[in-house]
């Protein structure tokens, strides 16, 4: 008997017991759908976290001051102020580096008319806009001219506007606000990014670094220098360039520890992605167990089916079916159940993860790989769990099988 | 056609050995119509299983169409059953959810016959047992006699060397029994070799020759002097056209 005929015989047997076939498939459907949906949601979460981190600035490197070392007691990174404006100027924009912006910040009380709020004042230069992808809703960002002339100008975030004037849409451009009693003229408002919490870019005032140092901090110190690499591929080169430049400027002998640290955004990204990928695997693994249970369900039903159809097996063998014919017939039944269940499961899982994505307001992504793996896995389960019942059927003695009541 | 020499079948249960057949010699020529009779426990069912290549003898030689099949195993036996033997059982043994024609096609399916030829031959076989108008009925929708006729059609569709019938009338009433025997006589008349196992003397009288079994060996072998002729309405309609 050829393979095609075997498939026809198997399909007919499955059709003869529609309810049972459907219920058996349900196990596979749930298992595969769970795997697809879980992996889809996990991938979506990874993508969303990645884009959030990248939203902080593309290909960002952060240079911080080194540790203070007072009498052998070491402070944390940035505890000594070793970075200067000159350092920032020394780091040259080129093939690897796209933009450099020194940052000094202070917390201050801000007053505008009858409203007041406490927020962070970030003193920086024009390049900060490029590095942090700052988008301006109205007005303009600070310029090099502002920095050079110590201009008392400020760009405010939408949350600051709300806190000061009670309404995010109120006109603030051109008005004067007092930061620690120093009057600043508002020249721009940033677009809301939706970020919240500590150091939200919405609850922040940006001003020329020279002005902030002079008027608000009183010292010419630079807290950190932000550097944007030209692309992800140039991150390492940019990092090397910074290290070499600063070691030279700071006259650090080879072998001695640097008095600054360079943090790579890609490192943070990688560790975050590591976390979410582990989570995805965990979810997928749990769903995989239900796939296994589905497979055992198929084996169970196939065993029952083999016993129930002992007489049929006897008849088929008596009129000339070889062991392989019987084996194939039952194996194909199991594989059809699992593959069909897998196919429906993929469709359901796809729908389920889209639904979950819509409900959780995040994008989910079903990778072709996970579909292929789930499909291949369900076919494999059909074979693995189908072989045992099929072998049992194929090895039956025709005389005993015919006598079976 | 069939030649058995010193066939023994011994079943061992633990230390106890039971001989179901203790040295049987039998010769059946082509186109013979033989019945095997005997009380239960006489070994006639074991004989049937060995003749039908469902089982192999512990000892002895079995020549079927000139080849010794006594030592064949597993799939080789399946091929012999498929090509050379047509079975008719007491309990019909049709596939329940399958139509008459599909049941008749089944042995050809395992023989690798193409679907068009399969269908054509199955229709011819069903017509020859007077069921040309019932090909798409399922066993449930047929009477006992009709089911047995489907089984006969299934047995003869591969043009086997022998047709083996194990108590073919055991589950049938007198009228259906006679119909079935009429078909066998008709098949015999057209050249088929047929062996029937039965315990009913009046059924055996429809055959040419009766072999009597007792306690695992042949006790008697006689030619039927006054062979009965089975008459059946269905054949006059179905086959004589």
């Amino acid at each position: 008997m050829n393979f095609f005929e075997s498939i026809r015989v198997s399909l007919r047997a499955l059709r003869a017991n529609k309810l049972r076939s459907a219920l058996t498939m349900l196990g596979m459907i749930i298992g595969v759908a769970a795997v697809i949906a879980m992996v889809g949601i996990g991938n979506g979460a990874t993508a969303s976290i990645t884009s959030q981190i990248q939203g902080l600035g593309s290909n960002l490197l952060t240079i911080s001051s080194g540790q203070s070392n007072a009498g052998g007691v070491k402070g944390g990174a940035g505890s000594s102020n070793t970075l200067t404006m000159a350092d920032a100027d020394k780091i040259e924009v080129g093939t690897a580096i796209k933009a450099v912006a020194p940052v000094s910040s202070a917390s201050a009380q801000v007053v505008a008319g009858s409203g007041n709020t406490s927020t962070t004042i970030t003193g920086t230069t024009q390049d900060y806009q490029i590095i942090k992808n700052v988008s301006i809703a109205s007005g303009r960002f600070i310029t090099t001219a502002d920095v050079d002339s110590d201009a008392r100008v400020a760009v405010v975030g939408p949350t600051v506007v709300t806190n000061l004037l009670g309404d995010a849409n109120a006109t603030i451009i051109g008005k004067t606000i007092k930061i620690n009693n120093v009057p600043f003229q508002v020249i721009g408002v940033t677009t809301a990014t939706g970020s919240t919490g500590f150091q939200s870019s919405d609850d922040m005032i940006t001003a020329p670094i020279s002005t902030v140092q002079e008027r608000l901090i009183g010292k010419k110190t630079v807290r950190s220098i932000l550097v944007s690499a030209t692309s992800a591929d140039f991150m390492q080169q940019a990092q090397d360039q910074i290290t070499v430049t600063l070691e030279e400027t700071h006259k650090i002998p080879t072998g001695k520890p640097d008095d600054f640290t360079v943090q790579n955004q890609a490192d943070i990204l990688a560790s975050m992605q590591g976390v979410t990928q582990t989570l995805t695997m965990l979810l997928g693994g749990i769903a995989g167990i239900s796939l296994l249970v589905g497979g055992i369900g198929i084996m169970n039903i196939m065993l029952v089916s083999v016993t129930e159809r002992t007489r049929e097996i006897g008849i088929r063998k008596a009129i000339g079916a070889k062991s392989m014919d019987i084996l194939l017939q039952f194996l194909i039944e199991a594989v059809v159940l699992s593959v069909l269940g897998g196919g429906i499961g993929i469709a359901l899982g796809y729908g389920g993860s889209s639904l979950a994505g819509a409900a959780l307001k995040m994008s989910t992504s079903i990778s072709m790989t996970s579909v292929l793996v789930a499909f291949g896995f369900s076919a494999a389960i059909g074979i693995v769990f189908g072989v045992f019942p099929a072998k049992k059927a194929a090895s039956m003695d025709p005389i005993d099988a015919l006598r079976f009541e | 056609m069939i030649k058995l020499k010193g066939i023994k079948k011994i079943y061992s249960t633990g230390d106890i050995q039971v001989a179901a057949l203790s040295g049987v010699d039998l010769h059946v020529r082509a186109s013979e119509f033989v019945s095997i009779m005997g009380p239960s426990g006489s070994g006639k069912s074991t004989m049937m299983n060995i003749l039908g290549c469902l089982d192999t003898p512990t000892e002895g030689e079995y020549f079927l169409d000139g080849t010794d099949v006594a030592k064949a195993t597993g799939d080789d036996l399946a091929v012999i059953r498929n090509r050379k033997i047509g079975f008719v059982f007491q309990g019909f043994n049709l596939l329940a959810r399958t139509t008459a024609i599909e049941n008749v096609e089944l042995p050809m399916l395992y023989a690798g016959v193409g679907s068009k030829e399969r269908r054509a031959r199955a229709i011819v076989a069903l017509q020859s047992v007077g069921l040309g108008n019932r090909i798409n009925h399922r066993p449930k929708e047929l009477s006992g006699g009709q089911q047995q006729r489907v089984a006969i059609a299934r047995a003869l569709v591969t043009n086997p060397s022998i047709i083996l019938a194990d108590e073919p009338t055991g589950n049938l009433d007198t009228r259906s029994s006679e119909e079935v025997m009429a078909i066998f006589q008709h098949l015999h008349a057209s050249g088929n070799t047929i062996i029937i196992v039965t315990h009913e003397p009046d059924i055996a009288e429809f055959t040419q020759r009766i072999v009597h079994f007792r306690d695992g060996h042949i006790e008697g072998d006689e030619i039927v002097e006054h062979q009965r002729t089975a008459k059946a309405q269905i054949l006059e309609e179905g086959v004589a056209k």
Side-chain angles (χ1 to χ4, degrees):
Chain A
M1 185 161 65
N2 67 36
F3 192 66
F4 181 69
E5 300 280 7
S6 299
I7 291 177
R8 272 190 46 207
V9 170
S10 301
L11 287 180
R12 182 173 300 156
L14 290 176
R15 269 206 301 273
N17 238 323
K18 286 193 192 71
L19 181 65
R20 183 195 282 182
S21 302
L23 286 174
T24 312
M25 265 195 287
L26 197 61
M28 287 305 290
I29 293 172
I30 291 171
V32 171
V35 168
I36 295 283
M38 290 303 175
V39 172
I41 291 168
N43 284 345
T46 309
S48 128
I49 286 172
T50 304
S51 79
Q52 271 180 30
I53 291 175
Q54 276 169 347
L56 298 177
S58 44
N59 306 315
L60 181 69
L61 289 162
T62 308
I63 309 163
S64 316
S65 305
Q67 300 165 320
S68 67
N69 193 346
V73 180
K74 286 184 179 172
S79 52
S80 77
N81 293 317
T82 53
L83 293 175
T84 63
M85 288 297 283
D87 289 338
D89 291 340
K90 279 269 162 49
I91 300 164
E92 281 171 10
V93 172
T95 24
I97 292 170
K98 189 164 83 178
V100 183
V103 173
S104 283
S105 54
S107 268
Q109 200 66 24
V110 182
V111 182
S114 58
N116 79 93
T117 181
S118 173
T119 186
T120 311
I121 320 296
T122 302
T124 186
T125 59
Q126 192 179 340
D127 275 3
Y128 185 84
Q129 187 179 10
I130 302 167
I131 296 169
K132 287 277 194 170
N133 298 326
V134 179
S135 160
I136 295 292
S138 61
R140 63 175 178 86
F141 197 71
I142 51 171
T143 61
T144 310
D146 291 331
V147 177
D148 291 345
S149 62
D150 297 355
R152 290 194 302 250
V153 290
V155 176
V156 297
T159 310
V160 178
V161 179
T162 313
N163 289 344
L164 289 175
L165 303 179
D167 179 8
N169 297 319
T171 313
I172 196 167
I173 292 172
K175 287 189 176 166
T176 302
I177 54 169
K178 282 186 173 174
I179 305 170
N180 278 3
N181 281 327
V182 181
F184 280 77
Q185 195 191 16
V186 177
I187 55 165
V189 179
T190 59
T191 311
T193 60
S195 74
T196 52
F198 181 65
Q199 284 197 336
S200 153
S201 58
D202 287 353
D203 187 9
M204 188 186 275
I205 295 174
T206 316
I209 187 165
S210 51
T211 320
V212 171
Q213 285 170 338
E214 200 172 312
R215 303 278 176 172
L216 301 177
I217 302 171
K219 281 193 287 186
K220 286 260 172 194
T221 56
V222 171
R223 186 188 165 85
S224 59
I225 301 170
L226 303 181
V227 176
S228 184
T230 43
S231 77
D233 299 335
F234 281 109
M235 289 292 270
Q236 191 55 48
Q237 199 183 324
Q239 195 165 350
D240 293 344
Q241 187 189 329
I242 293 163
T243 309
V244 169
T245 310
L246 290 188
E247 277 177 354
E248 201 175 297
T249 328
H250 291 193
K251 298 187 174 63
I252 294 163
T254 353
K256 287 280 163 107
D258 291 342
D259 61 353
F260 60 90
T261 49
V262 183
Q263 269 182 319
N264 188 337
Q265 188 210 48
D267 296 341
I268 306 167
L269 198 61
S271 67
M272 282 312 292
Q273 281 174 337
V275 170
T276 53
Q277 270 160 11
T278 309
L279 207 71
T280 306
M281 273 163 64
L282 183 75
L283 288 173
I286 292 169
I289 291 173
S290 68
L291 200 58
L292 194 72
V293 173
I296 293 169
I298 287 183
M299 178 156 74
N300 192 11
I301 288 300
M302 288 310 295
L303 281 172
V304 171
S305 177
V306 166
T307 309
E308 209 180 64
R309 284 150 67 190
T310 301
R311 207 174 172 82
E312 176 193 328
I313 295 164
I315 297 168
R316 287 181 184 276
K317 285 199 144 191
I319 61 174
K322 298 193 193 84
S323 295
M324 191 47 102
D325 295 327
I326 302 291
L327 185 92
L328 267 183
Q329 182 189 336
F330 282 92
L331 195 56
I332 290 171
E333 277 183 36
V335 172
V336 164
L337 281 178
S338 65
V339 166
L340 213 59
I344 298 172
I346 287 169
L348 265 182
Y350 190 85
S353 79
S354 307
L355 222 67
L360 300 170
K361 289 192 174 60
M362 65 181 211
S363 68
T364 54
S365 63
I366 308 279
S367 65
M368 203 57 211
T369 330
S370 68
V371 169
L372 287 178
V373 166
F375 201 71
F377 201 63
S378 49
I381 276 188
I383 293 171
V384 169
F385 290 103
V387 157
F388 177 57
K391 277 210 155 158
K392 199 181 153 194
S395 63
M396 274 182 187
D397 182 59
I399 300 171
D400 294 340
L402 279 171
R403 242 182 247 144
F404 186 83
E405 292 299 329
Chain B
M1 173 66 55
I2 289 178
K3 210 175 241 175
L4 301 180
K5 271 187 199 164
I7 293 288
K8 283 184 184 173
K9 182 70 188 179
I10 294 156
Y11 293 106
S12 316
T13 339
D15 294 336
I16 307 157
Q17 291 199 326
V18 180
L21 293 174
S22 46
V24 173
D25 300 308
L26 182 66
H27 186 200
V28 178
R29 287 181 306 278
S31 304
E32 264 196 290
F33 190 8
V34 184
S35 57
I36 293 174
M37 287 195 71
S40 50
S42 60
K44 63 184 196 301
S45 286
T46 309
M47 191 68 232
M48 192 75 187
N49 289 339
I50 289 173
L51 281 174
C53 291
L54 287 165
D55 206 351
T56 48
T58 319
E59 239 177 78
E61 289 173 326
Y62 172 16
F63 289 94
L64 177 61
D65 274 349
T67 48
D68 189 0
V69 296
K71 297 287 180 286
T73 51
D75 284 350
D76 294 336
L77 284 175
V79 173
I80 295 165
R81 287 198 294 268
N82 188 242
R83 303 228 174 109
K84 305 205 176 228
I85 293 158
F87 282 106
V88 179
F89 301 96
Q90 177 175 5
F92 320 136
N93 279 342
L94 299 173
L95 296 187
R97 292 193 190 87
T98 314
T99 59
I101 187 157
E102 284 166 339
N103 266 293
V104 177
E105 281 185 43
L106 207 57
M108 291 186 284
L109 190 72
Y110 291 115
V113 177
S115 66
K116 270 187 191 156
E117 192 192 337
R118 236 164 38 210
R119 198 175 162 78
R121 279 167 66 179
I123 289 172
V124 171
L126 280 166
Q127 281 170 346
S128 73
V129 296
L131 286 174
N133 55 350
R134 292 271 197 281
I135 61 170
N136 287 319
H137 286 59
R138 283 159 209 278
K140 262 189 290 189
E141 299 154 5
L142 298 171
S143 71
Q146 287 170 329
Q147 288 187 48
Q148 194 61 302
R149 277 145 61 195
V150 173
I152 294 169
R154 183 179 65 188
L156 64 88
V157 77
T158 52
N159 296 319
S161 305
I162 45 169
I163 293 174
L164 286 176
D166 189 4
E167 302 275 10
T169 59
N171 287 12
L172 300 178
D173 59 33
T174 320
R175 196 170 148 263
S176 301
S177 298
E178 187 147 346
E179 278 176 4
V180 164
M181 291 317 291
I183 289 168
F184 280 128
Q185 286 191 332
H186 175 76
L187 289 173
H188 171 238
S190 46
N192 286 285
T193 315
I194 302 167
I195 301 176
I196 287 178
V197 170
T198 184
H199 62 270
E200 296 170 75
D202 50 337
I203 291 296
E205 280 170 21
F206 286 113
T207 66
Q208 287 180 317
R209 173 185 168 195
I210 301 175
V211 179
H212 293 276
F213 268 75
R214 184 173 287 273
D215 299 332
H217 62 268
I218 294 173
E219 194 187 44
D221 194 341
E222 54 171 329
I223 301 296
V224 180
E225 303 222 347
H226 305 288
Q227 191 186 0
R228 289 172 64 201
T229 307
K231 287 211 176 76
Q233 201 78 37
I234 46 128
L235 276 183
E236 279 146 29
E237 295 163 1
V239 186
K241 55 175 178 170

